[in-house]
Amino acid sequence: RLTLAPENDGGATRFEVAERMLTRRFTRLQHSYVKKLEHLGHMIALYVTWYNYVRASRGGVAPAVAAGLVAKRWTVDAVVRMMDGHLA
């Protein structure tokens, strides 16, 4: 029997859980499944934006800030304003 020692990588595990919850939208096993492919694309874009630019990781820094893509964490309000500007 082969057993592997679990690595202490909570970040990867956290991402896997979040990704698994995101992919549940593909199935009809949940009430919030997406019926239109266009809506699914918008939902994934919003989720990825939130996950990388808005959400604070363990150190209180968003992954995009840690990677040097932006100077500071975005707020949900800023994302909504960007969406409104894009849709107008």
Side-chain angles (χ1 to χ4, degrees):
R1 178 176 174 191
L2 177 66
T3 59
L4 299 174
E7 295 182 20
N8 189 10
D9 191 10
T13 305
R14 173 78 175 111
F15 178 75
E16 290 167 1
V17 169
E19 185 180 5
R20 199 166 39 246
M21 294 307 294
L22 174 67
T23 56
R24 294 284 293 163
R25 303 244 180 198
F26 288 107
T27 67
R28 290 178 176 246
L29 301 176
Q30 188 174 0
H31 291 293
S32 61
Y33 74 94
V34 179
K35 293 181 181 179
K36 293 186 178 181
L37 188 58
E38 180 183 7
H39 294 174
L40 178 66
H42 293 294
M43 189 268 310
I44 290 174
L46 278 173
Y47 176 78
V48 170
T49 302
W50 170 80
Y51 193 88
N52 290 311
Y53 292 90
V54 178
R55 177 190 67 89
S57 61
R58 290 183 185 176
V61 178
V65 175
L69 297 175
V70 293
K72 64 177 186 169
R73 237 174 71 198
W74 294 358
T75 62
V76 174
D77 186 49
V79 173
V80 170
R81 279 189 271 119
M82 281 186 255
M83 286 176 20
D84 287 343
H86 179 71
L87 296 175

